[in-house]
Amino acid sequence: MKKFIMLSYTISRMGGGQMYQYNKLKFMKSRGYETFVFYAIPGKIVITDYENVSRYLCIEDINIFPGVLTRKQVNEVLERIKEYVGECDSETIIEACNKPTTLWGELLAERFGCTCFNFIIDERIGSLDTSIVDFFEHKRNMHELRGIKKETYEMIFGHSPAVDDYEYCLAIPGNNVVQDCNTELLKTIQFEKFDHVVATIGNLNKDYVPTLINEIKKNAVKNSEQSYFYCMIGDSPNLEDMKKIKNSFSSIQNVTVELLGSVYPIPEKLLYKFDLFISSAGSARVSGDRAIPTITIDARDFQSIGVYQYETGNTVFRDNEAAIPISEKMEYVFEHYDEIKSALHKTPQVNFDEVFDKHLNYYLNHVHTGKYYDVMSMKLDKKKKVEKIIYQCLGKKMYDKIRTFVFSKM
C-alpha cells in the first residue's frame, strides 16, 4: 500500500504550518496514500480533524540533531517509527519540514529504501554549520530539496546562484482556517467604542512578536488620546509568553488587550470586526484575502513590508519594499484608511488539489537513486558537542530545559 510519512516540528496549536500539514495530509489520503505524521513538540491539537486525515504520534527526539544521540538511541527512534508505520517500500514518500527532521527523514528513508523530500516551511532556518550545509547540498543535488520561498534557499546557501534550472520553490495553499460560525466575543466586546480595532493572527512564539508588541505600544503611546482594542489570535508552547504579553501592556492605559489563544476555525464574522491586521506569512493572507487592511511583517528584520494588496503582495520576505517600522506603517494606514480600504479586493480561495497535484508530481517524477547521506557520520560543531554531553550525562529533561533557555538564544 502507498504510504506518505510527514516529519514535523509540531501539529499542535494553530498556525500556517499546522494548516499546511493538515491540508497536505488530507490531500495525500484522498490520493490513496496511508498517511502518518510524526511531530516533535507536544501540545493541544487544535485542528481536531487531524485524526480523520492521518495517524499521528509525538516523538520529541526528532527535533534533536541525530548526532547528539547515540547510535542505539537513534535506532530506537527509527524502530519506533517503523513499528507504527509497518512495512514500507520504494513507493513510500517521506516529507520533512524543518532542519532536524530532514536528518531524521534521511535516516528513515535509508531504512525503508524510499526517498525523503526536504520541504522547508520555516520562515527562519537558524544557524547552519558546514556539515548541515553539506547535507543540504547533497539533497539539492539529488533534487530532494524545496522551500516555500527563494529566500529559503538563500538562508541555506547564501546568495550563491541556484543550480541551473533548479526549481527550489513549491507553492503551498493554506487559507481555509476561516468558517462561518459564531463566537462569544461578538456579544461581549463593544468593538465600536474603540478608535482603533487591531488584531494579529499567528503563533506567539514567533521571532517577530516582541518587536510587534513594542511597535503596537509605541503607536498607542504616540496617540494617547485615542483608544485601542488589540487582539492576538494564536498561542505559544510556553504559557509564560501570553502572561508576558498581557503584562507588557499594563502601563499603556489606552490599549485593551485580548489574547484568544489558538482558535480553529476562526469565525469569519469576527475578522470583519477589525479595522486592521498585522501578521506574517499565511496568517496575513487570512485577513488580507478578505479585503481587510493588513500590514505584513518581514521574517528577517521584523519591520513592515507594506499593506497587503495595496503596497505589496509579499507576506514573508520583502523584495524592493522599504523597511518601515510597524508603528509608522500603522500611522500611515490610519491616516489613509478609506483610500486603502477602497482599493482592496477579496481573493478567491485557491484550488488546493491543483496546488498539491504539483507536489505529488514532484514526488512521483523524481528519479530514486538509492544514494543516502551518511547522517551519523556528520561532524558535530562545538555547540552540538556540548549538547551531546548534556543529553548523555544529565538526561533528556535537563537537556530540554537548557536547550530552551540557552541554546535557542545562541
Side-chain angles (χ1 to χ4, degrees), residues 94 96 101-107 109-110 114-120 132-146 156-157 163 166 362 366 368-369 371-373 375:
I94 301 173
T101 58
T102 61
L103 300 173
W104 285 100
E106 190 75 356
L107 291 167
E110 183 174 13
C114 61
T115 301
C116 176
F117 296 94
N118 297 353
F119 186 39
I120 309 299
I132 191 72
V133 173
D134 184 67
F135 167 73
F136 280 129
E137 284 180 351
H138 166 80
K139 296 300 284 185
R140 179 182 65 184
N141 293 337
M142 296 295 102
H143 287 266
E144 297 166 4
L145 173 65
R146 295 290 188 274
I156 298 172
F157 301 110
V163 176
Y166 190 87
Y362 161 53
H366 171 266
H368 179 59
T369 64
K371 296 179 181 178
Y372 299 100
Y373 195 87
V375 172

Side-chain angles (χ1 to χ4, degrees), residues 317-360:
F317 305 108
R318 70 170 47 84
D319 287 327
N320 299 314
E321 301 93 338
I324 297 174
I326 294 169
S327 58
E328 293 182 20
K329 185 58 67 174
M330 290 175 67
E331 199 71 19
Y332 172 80
V333 173
F334 295 152
E335 291 176 0
H336 302 84
Y337 192 82
D338 291 339
E339 175 190 330
I340 293 170
K341 179 72 175 174
S342 63
L344 304 180
H345 60 275
K346 291 185 179 182
T347 302
Q349 179 65 62
V350 173
N351 185 323
F352 281 38
D353 285 358
E354 185 177 303
V355 174
F356 284 136
D357 271 328
K358 293 180 181 178
H359 289 219
L360 186 55

Side-chain angles (χ1 to χ4, degrees), residues 33-93:
Y33 285 81
E34 187 178 356
T35 54
F36 303 85
V37 58
F38 298 93
Y39 63 102
I41 307 302
K44 180 182 178 182
I45 296 178
V46 178
I47 307 176
T48 55
D49 197 46
Y50 257 115
E51 62 188 23
N52 294 321
V53 302
S54 178
R55 292 177 61 192
Y56 52 82
L57 183 66
C58 181
I59 302 179
E60 295 182 43
D61 279 339
I62 64 173
N63 194 44
I64 300 174
F65 191 90
V68 170
L69 279 62
T70 64
R71 289 182 180 270
K72 180 181 178 183
Q73 290 167 335
V74 168
N75 189 62
E76 287 172 352
V77 172
L78 297 177
E79 282 301 308
R80 187 179 177 192
I81 293 174
K82 186 174 181 180
E83 288 176 11
Y84 195 82
V85 173
E87 291 301 317
C88 294
D89 55 25
S90 59
E91 276 196 302
T92 298
I93 297 169

Side-chain angles (χ1 to χ4, degrees), residues 29 246 279 315:
K29 186 173 183 178
K246 193 84 172 179
S279 305
T315 63

